[in-house]
Amino acid sequence: MTDTPLPATDPVEAPAWLDGLNAPQKQAVLTTEGPVLMLAGAGTGKTAALTTRLAYLIRTRRAWPSEILCVTFTNKAAREMRHRVGQLIGDAVEGMPWLGTFHSIGAKMLRRHAELVGLQSNYTIIDTDDQLRLLKQLIGENDLDEKRWPARQLAGLIDRWKNRGLNPEDLDAVENEAYANGKGQKMYALYQARLKALNACDFGDLLLHMLNVFRRERDILESYQQRFKYVMVDEYQDTNAVQYLWLRLLAQTRKNICVVGDDDQSIYSWRGAEVANILRFEKDFPGAAVIRLEQNYRSTPQILAAASGLIEANSSRLGKTLWTERGGGEKVRVIGVWDAPEEARRLGEEIERLEREGAPLEGMAILVRAQYQTREFEDRFIQIGLNYRIVGGFRFYERAEIRDALAYLRVIAQPADDLAFERIHNQPKRGLGAKALEKMHQHARRQNIPLAAAALEIADSDELPARARGTIAGLMSLFLSWRELAQQVTPAELLRRVLEESGYDAMLKAERTSESAGRQDNLVELARAMEEYETLGDFLEHVSLVMDNDAADETEKVTIMTIHAAKGLEFDQVFLPGWEEGVFPSQRALDEGGLASLEEERRLAYVAITRARRRCTILHAANRRIYGQWTSSIPSRFIAELPADHIVQETTLTGGASLWRANWSEQDDPFAHVSEARPDRSQARGPGWQRALSTGYDRLPKRLPEPGRSAASFAAKPRTDIAIGARVFHDKFGYGEVVDQEGNKLEIEFEASGRKRVIDSFVKPA
């Protein structure tokens, strides 16, 4: 490949476009030799400094474009950098083959050296679904119980090991015990061997394989060290161990490495990022120039002072102080409300007020610590007609685990709901695969009955193997018991029983991943949402109305997203709800990570506040309703750490709280207005509920048939063209003679497979 010719420019000439940078940015650009740490605070123009530095190296002929390694974390960031550099130096940027993400650059290197790790250059990169299928095969081949040791758990462990630069032989005893009582190393090794046999690798291999090559093949490492005159890395605080080791090896010879990052914004430890990488940069590269970008171009002085005061409580940081030339600005508001519903009401009113005053909805964002928090706001905004969008995830009722739970509830309320039954008939996995579902569909269509009814009939026949029949019978027995339970307990309690007895809770707990933990939180929030409804029918109707919110509407919308997803974004108005102990900081994070997790939670709070350009509002509730009981909440410790001079605190008691205060006396129960006394369910249920229960369930028996007994009370009308003694044909069992008949069930003596009990819709006269 021929490099694009560079314009004739004196190496020491400073291009005019450097004049747009402030002094520290310009210093970062002009300090070209030796290691450089560009410590860039939120909103300080680090992208401008990084891209200008890259353009300067090329423009001043310090390196050809092909001699610069420039690594980003996302394809979007790589595209933006290429575009910005192109605006500064023109077509020369097209000659930069080594500008891209860690994975894309790792893949390019591995294509050249694939044979050194047992692969061919045309290897395949498998995705998550293929990885899980492969691991399930290996789990089955090694006689492990996939329910106890899920493939997703093993995939998470393998990803963690690869992020840390560990090969199977590198695992210690503790890591080995993390899966299947000491089989972690074996399963990891088998997985890697199977990948090589398939000429494939996963995303973790793209860097791990090259790290192994660099360690074993000194000449190859030296060739790359000589090739890359300069190494540049964006978002260095987000690097994991394997990325760190890979970069350090490549930069050891020339040591012309410039990393850009912010230790105060390292918030991704759950996916392998190690803040220690940026904290020890000066130790790894002695004599490194540390250039602090502290002039903020985004936020007001009040917002910056609040964020800076908060993050000072962290001990593991290099330290910097953000400032701005902007004047004025409102103090950060901290608002205490009575409970979560009032929090949603208050935010809805505030957003509507700002909109009336001319503030665009597009400039407003609600940033939450956990996905489950969005539900309260979605419900409220639907009720008042306020447009919103969920960014970085699904709307609450669209998430897979929520749709699964709702499908169970829909079948309980309406067993003729075939779409719902089909969704959960094998979720969690019960061994009812495609063939079993096909049999159910065939019989349902032939008899014009619901899929659930067809399943129950098939369970009382020999159409499926005994194990599948038993599974179906057990599932239908659960649905019948849940139907009776629905008339005795609250909808929320019904959901909890369904999740427990169906095995759905156990499935999520077995996965033992951060993703599954979040899904459990979402289901807890779903049960909490149901506590507000008297009947299952009322709740399902509410969900239907919420789901009807037009996501394709092009009108302006308020953005709702997690703080993690908001990193790198900015908004005029930022609202931060749920700042209570246990919610933020997350109790699960503190339990699992101790002090290190607390400091990361504080960094997350810092990121949240610095997303705001003009106004930042923090809210905390005095009460949260959990499992039907009011629980007192205390404000987050982060609120106490905000500097008092830069915040204004408000407390509001409205709605139910004001009624409680007005009517309370010492003799009264202070929570009388939210009495947990169970209502008379028979009185609460209206005609709609009765119709939902009667439609479809009138085709089901009151109980499952006893072993050896038929479900005649449930059976469809028998065929009249087949009688005892008739010769018939069955697709699975072949030819046979009818020896007994009970309703639509036939006892047939088959020529090849003996006597079987089948449903008449599956046979035809021979």
Side-chain angles (χ1 to χ4, degrees), residues 517-534:
R519 295 172 69 190
Q520 292 175 61
D521 286 342
N522 289 339
L523 290 171
V524 169
E525 177 61 19
L526 177 64
R528 204 204 66 72
M530 295 179 69
E531 292 164 0
E532 302 172 14
Y533 295 86
E534 290 294 327

Side-chain angles (χ1 to χ4, degrees), residues 137-145 183 186-187 190:
Q137 293 174 13
L138 293 174
I139 290 169
E141 291 169 8
N142 285 271
D143 298 323
L144 296 176
D145 183 358
K183 295 186 178 179
K186 174 185 177 182
M187 298 304 294
L190 289 173

Side-chain angles (χ1 to χ4, degrees), residues 6-15 17-18 29-30 32-33 52-64 89 230:
L6 295 172
T9 305
D10 188 279
V12 298
E13 177 187 338
W17 26 263
L18 285 179
V29 171
L30 298 178
T32 59
E33 308 308 306
T52 304
R53 187 179 199 274
L54 179 56
Y56 181 77
L57 292 173
I58 298 172
R59 178 69 180 270
T60 58
R61 292 189 174 182
R62 284 172 168 79
W64 294 100
I89 62 173
Y230 295 94

Side-chain angles (χ1 to χ4, degrees), residues 13 53 60 99 134 223 228 280 290 305 319 383 390 423 439 450 488 545 605 624 651 747:
E13 177 187 338
R53 187 179 199 274
T60 58
L99 190 164
L134 178 54
S223 71
F228 299 132
R280 65 173 171 232
V290 179
Q383 184 180 357
I390 301 293
R423 181 180 180 93
K439 283 285 186 184
Q488 303 166 12
L545 295 174
R624 292 278 174 185
T651 301
E747 290 279 350

